[in-house]
Amino acid sequence: KKVLLIASILIGIILIISQIYFYQLSKNLEQYKYVVTEKYDDFEIRQYESSLFTTVQLKTDIYEYASRKGFSVLANYIFGNNEDGKQIPMTSPVSMTIDEEIRMMFLVPEGITKEKLPKPLNSRIKFIEVPQKKFAAICFGGWASQSKIDYNQKKLIKLLEDNNIEYLANYLFCGYNSPLELFFRKNEILIEVK
């Protein structure tokens, strides 16, 4: 019993240290830049800078499938599976369009132009320049799921309508954490506003 107790304590300490490490690591990643222009009780309006993204289109509208498949395709590319064998730093958040098909997007780090990006070995990977846009954003914690995404998307739409804010049918899910992070998870739904 004493050995089991000591082993449990050691495993707990290792888990806590690893979670602190992953939390700090994700906080230090370059992020999609924005300025908050308006704050409401449950959401905010943000002005996002124009940015370059590495993307892959997935023929599904199911978050769980798109999340696994899309992440694996884009992670392989940025971790060096490209014509130059060049690694590209990870950024945050990992974004996904919410539509009949899902497009997963990784922000390209500042200072890397479309011309400087190594050519992908996977022909499904595309580079998209997104102009400056204004989005409403609502945050939610825990592990993302299709039901949580749907719930928060509907919640944000209702908040926008209640506040007479015009919006476009351009919805994004953003996940900020590594799959190895178990605690303090941050997710967002973004809806483009006029």
Side-chain angles (χ1 to χ4, degrees):
K1 287 186 174 186
K2 196 173 191 179
V3 172
L4 186 59
L5 177 63
I6 292 170
S8 296
I9 291 170
L10 287 174
I11 289 170
I13 290 170
I14 291 168
L15 178 65
I16 290 168
I17 291 170
S18 69
Q19 290 307 297
I20 291 169
Y21 170 78
F22 289 125
Y23 176 74
Q24 288 300 321
L25 188 65
S26 69
K27 279 183 59 177
N28 293 327
L29 294 176
E30 183 178 330
Q31 294 193 0
Y32 194 8
K33 292 182 177 35
Y34 65 85
V35 174
V36 176
T37 59
E38 296 174 65
K39 278 187 151 303
Y40 294 82
D41 289 340
D42 295 321
F43 71 101
E44 59 190 25
I45 306 294
R46 302 172 180 169
Q47 184 70 50
Y48 281 84
E49 292 183 4
S50 58
S51 298
L52 178 62
F53 290 88
T54 303
T55 72
V56 63
Q57 187 78 29
L58 302 155
K59 295 188 184 309
T60 183
D61 63 351
I62 300 168
Y63 165 78
E64 287 81 3
Y65 172 78
S67 176
R68 284 189 303 276
K69 183 65 175 165
F71 189 89
S72 125
V73 169
L74 294 179
N76 279 335
Y77 170 75
I78 70 166
F79 295 147
N81 189 18
N82 53 61
E83 278 194 359
D84 299 345
K86 179 181 174 185
Q87 291 192 0
I88 301 164
M90 185 67 194
T91 56
S92 179
V94 172
S95 303
M96 295 169 53
T97 59
I98 303 171
D99 209 339
E100 290 175 8
E101 289 189 351
I102 292 175
R103 179 182 300 276
M104 180 169 277
M105 307 185 307
F106 283 11
L107 176 69
V108 173
E110 198 170 12
I112 301 177
T113 63
K114 199 174 189 177
E115 296 73 35
K116 289 183 183 176
L117 284 167
K119 186 175 180 188
L121 296 175
N122 184 330
S123 63
R124 294 175 50 214
I125 294 174
K126 306 292 180 211
F127 306 117
I128 296 177
E129 296 180 64
V130 176
Q132 183 178 29
K133 290 187 178 200
K134 188 186 282 191
F135 285 98
I138 190 168
C139 296
F140 63 99
W143 291 92
S145 65
Q146 189 68 54
S147 61
K148 284 184 180 180
I149 290 168
D150 293 344
Y151 172 81
N152 284 284
Q153 180 182 357
K154 288 174 186 163
K155 180 178 177 180
L156 183 52
I157 288 170
K158 180 164 180 5
L159 289 166
L160 292 172
E161 290 171 349
D162 289 350
N163 286 279
N164 298 312
I165 299 171
E166 290 185 65
Y167 60 93
L168 306 170
N170 183 10
Y171 311 109
L172 291 175
F173 163 75
C174 299
Y176 285 82
N177 306 90
S178 155
L180 302 174
E181 279 182 77
L182 304 177
F183 309 109
F184 311 113
R185 298 188 65 80
K186 177 184 174 185
N187 308 290
E188 294 178 334
I189 297 295
L190 304 182
I191 298 178
E192 189 174 359
V193 295
K194 295 183 179 182

